[in-house]
Amino acid sequence: MSFTAEVRDELARCEPECEYCDLSTLAALTRVSGTLSLAGSGRYRLTVATETGAVARTMITLTHRILKLKTEFTVRKSVLHKVRNYLITLPDQPDLDKALVLLGILDRRGGLVAGVPRHIVARPCCRLAYIRGALIADFHLEIAVQGEQYARGLCDLLEQIGVHARVNARRGSFAVYIKSAEEIEQLLKLIGAKRSVAEIEEARAVKLVKNDVNRRVNAELANQTRSAGAAQHQLALIDELEQRGLRDTLPDALAVFCDLRERYPDLSLRDLGEMVDPPLSKSALYHRVLRLEKLIEANK
């Protein structure tokens, strides 16, 4: 099961906080994933399509328990993508029109509701349940919906619980998305996906450790590369001193450095300094290198 499917499954199993929370969840689920068809004057047909079993199960369970309506259930398998597609249909039946008003899909005059229905999200717990329903229907760290007003309404709902969301127009539809990883975690905590949050935090911790190890390895490789380049430069200075006949005239401090560098060509200046008795700092040895450079420059 993918992480997205796991999140949906966990959200679908969350218990309601009040008697109206399940209605809020069902309202968002049908609004985001449902298609409403007009079958004639005052006759409707509502269809919800999903690839997630948790969504199908939640849709059927809540429809039967809250709306007391008949549902038709069809399972299809995509030959191209090799995934199951679940189709839940509420056919034309008595009280379906009233149920659509209750869900905030239609107003009392039979017109489509453009934004988020206020009566569905009147309580703080019902706001969370509504957002949970929207994420159950379409969780990809964004929610794809039809209608800009409805998208803006979802953003406002998220702002009310302290989560900043944005709206992006995409080929005739609108995507409500959350960019910050911290706010995504906060949202999942608020709507009850604690197990999924724990998985995200664990994955982030593992990633941080890996990134830290990679940084250390890269830094060490860079240091080794720099040290190797510096050592080659120092050996070249010593060779030039030999060629100019200056090696035997060197002061003791510079002569000791040249002998050490030739004996340990792969060591860094810091490690080379530890070979001296008493030990010398990296800075002290670097100044000896500078003296060699000046000596060669003065004898050109």
Side-chain angles (χ1 to χ4, degrees):
M1 184 184 294
S2 67
F3 179 71
T4 295
E6 288 179 1
V7 174
R8 283 177 164 175
D9 185 71
E10 183 177 8
L11 293 177
R13 297 176 189 275
C14 290
E15 293 294 327
E17 292 188 36
C18 80
E19 58 184 319
Y20 302 107
C21 284
D22 278 343
L23 175 62
S24 299
T25 298
L26 181 61
L29 199 159
T30 54
R31 182 64 178 270
V32 174
S33 287
T35 301
L36 182 64
S37 304
L38 188 62
S41 179
R43 299 173 59 196
Y44 302 97
R45 179 185 182 89
L46 180 65
T47 304
V48 172
T50 178
E51 295 178 357
T52 308
V55 177
R57 181 177 63 249
T58 302
M59 177 70 192
I60 294 172
T61 300
L62 297 184
T63 299
H64 290 171
R65 187 168 74 231
I66 298 172
L67 304 180
K68 314 295 184 187
L69 294 177
K70 178 176 65 174
T71 59
E72 297 172 354
F73 182 60
T74 306
V75 180
R76 300 176 296 188
K77 189 169 183 179
S78 170
V79 177
L80 180 62
H81 301 291
K82 300 191 179 194
V83 295
R84 284 191 178 89
N85 187 274
Y86 305 97
L87 195 67
I88 305 100
T89 302
L90 278 68
D92 179 46
Q93 57 190 294
D95 295 330
L96 177 57
D97 56 342
K98 295 178 182 177
L100 294 173
V101 173
L102 182 63
L103 293 171
I105 296 173
L106 296 179
D107 59 28
R108 297 186 182 278
R109 297 179 180 178
L112 290 172
V113 176
V116 176
R118 293 184 179 180
H119 71 279
I120 295 290
V121 293
R123 301 184 179 190
C125 59
C126 292
R127 291 173 202 150
L128 293 177
Y130 194 88
I131 295 169
R132 187 183 304 126
L135 287 171
I136 290 172
D138 185 10
F139 177 73
H140 291 284
L141 305 183
E142 66 178 31
I143 308 169
V145 300
Q146 295 296 322
E148 183 175 5
Q149 188 172 341
Y150 183 64
R152 299 290 177 192
L154 279 179
C155 276
D156 291 342
L157 208 57
L158 289 164
E159 290 285 354
Q160 290 177 38
I161 63 171
V163 177
H164 179 63
R166 302 177 183 180
V167 175
N168 191 16
R170 293 183 181 173
R171 297 180 182 177
S173 64
F174 294 87
V176 178
Y177 68 97
I178 304 163
K179 193 171 184 180
S180 165
E182 289 75 15
E183 290 193 324
I184 290 168
E185 284 190 37
Q186 179 187 349
L187 174 60
L188 291 177
K189 285 179 184 177
L190 288 171
I191 61 179
K194 296 179 181 178
R195 185 183 70 235
S196 300
V197 170
E199 290 183 21
I200 291 174
E201 290 176 343
E202 182 179 355
R204 179 182 288 181
V206 170
K207 185 177 181 181
L208 285 173
V209 171
K210 286 183 178 179
N211 288 344
D212 184 58
V213 170
N214 288 336
R215 278 195 299 271
R216 290 174 182 270
V217 170
N218 290 337
E220 182 62 27
L221 289 174
N223 286 335
Q224 290 178 4
T225 301
R226 285 194 295 270
S227 294
Q232 290 301 315
H233 172 65
Q234 293 155 23
L235 289 170
L237 290 177
I238 295 170
D239 285 342
E240 191 165 350
L241 287 170
E242 292 275 9
Q243 293 172 15
R244 293 179 181 275
L246 300 174
R247 178 73 179 267
D248 295 334
T249 64
L250 292 176
D252 289 344
L254 296 184
V256 168
F257 171 77
C258 292
D259 291 341
L260 281 173
R261 173 49 75 200
E262 287 180 323
R263 288 169 58 192
Y264 304 103
D266 297 327
L267 291 184
S268 66
L269 285 179
R270 179 179 285 106
D271 294 336
L272 203 65
E274 293 178 359
M275 307 298 295
V276 183
D277 186 22
L280 294 173
S281 68
K282 175 182 176 181
S283 176
L285 289 186
Y286 181 66
H287 279 89
R288 295 188 183 188
V289 174
L290 293 179
R291 287 173 63 187
L292 290 178
E293 290 177 345
K294 290 180 180 178
L295 183 60
I296 292 173
E297 186 67 28
N299 287 273
K300 281 186 175 179

